[in-house]
Amino acid sequence: MTDNEASVIDESTFSVRRTIRIAAPIEKVWTAVTEPEHISRWFGRTVLDGAGVGATGTITFADYGSVPIRVEQSDAPRTVSYRWGNDDALGHLRDELDDHATVFTFTLEPVQGGTQLTVVETGFEHTSDPAKNMASHGEGWVSELDKLVALLEGDA
């Protein structure tokens, strides 16, 4: 499995960023980060009420619960953004997206031998505890994206 660096937390911009390389073609990575049945294989059980910008639904994590989500932007096969109400520090899950939701964007680039994927999550200044949430999500992107790499490189 490709070894990738950890997430970078930028307290000045209230963001978390992680860039990884995956030994898989961009089309395969795009499918894995945009289609609910594929997202469910590495992230959390994902259900959307449609496809494309404006689709809403949930991502459900075992032992955590369901987090509301909405597709904010999509430019296949390069970028896709999701808004989600995952405020770990709050102590309970929100049923709907509100002003406290963060946005994460996947950007894909073809590179020699596969795809470079960068995730940037922003908006932590609007959460209940920005520092705690950035730390938690920084760790989360490491474990979740490492699952994506293992899945896609195992199937390659």
Side-chain angles (χ1 to χ4, degrees):
M1 183 173 94
T2 304
D3 188 28
N4 288 292
E5 294 187 19
S7 300
V8 175
I9 296 170
D10 186 339
E11 294 179 357
S12 68
T13 61
F14 296 97
S15 65
V16 174
R17 170 187 298 269
R18 184 168 191 225
T19 299
I20 63 171
R21 292 179 69 98
I22 305 170
I26 193 169
E27 296 81 12
K28 192 170 187 178
V29 178
W30 178 256
T31 297
V33 299
T34 59
E35 294 184 10
E37 63 273 18
H38 292 279
I39 298 169
S40 297
R41 294 179 63 198
W42 63 273
F43 199 26
R45 187 173 51 83
T46 303
V47 176
L48 291 172
D49 68 355
V53 175
T56 60
T58 57
I59 296 181
T60 304
F61 299 93
D63 301 323
Y64 185 73
S66 293
V67 176
I69 190 165
R70 179 175 63 231
V71 179
E72 294 288 293
Q73 183 264 342
S74 181
D75 181 19
R78 301 293 184 189
T79 61
V80 62
S81 296
Y82 298 95
R83 179 175 301 277
W84 68 340
N86 189 14
D87 187 335
D88 294 331
L90 189 61
H92 67 277
L93 295 173
R94 292 189 167 99
D95 293 332
E96 297 180 0
L97 294 172
D98 61 19
D99 295 340
H100 303 284
T102 58
V103 174
F104 62 92
T105 301
F106 292 121
T107 303
L108 290 70
E109 290 181 56
V111 294
Q112 182 67 35
T115 303
Q116 178 175 288
L117 181 144
T118 299
V119 62
V120 178
E121 186 172 0
T122 60
F124 288 100
E125 68 272 26
H126 304 294
T127 65
S128 63
D129 186 334
K132 187 173 181 179
N133 281 314
M134 286 188 293
S136 175
H137 289 222
E139 292 173 9
W141 287 120
V142 170
S143 64
E144 300 301 338
L145 291 180
D146 284 355
K147 290 182 211 173
L148 175 63
V149 172
L151 174 71
L152 293 180
E153 290 184 357
D155 289 345

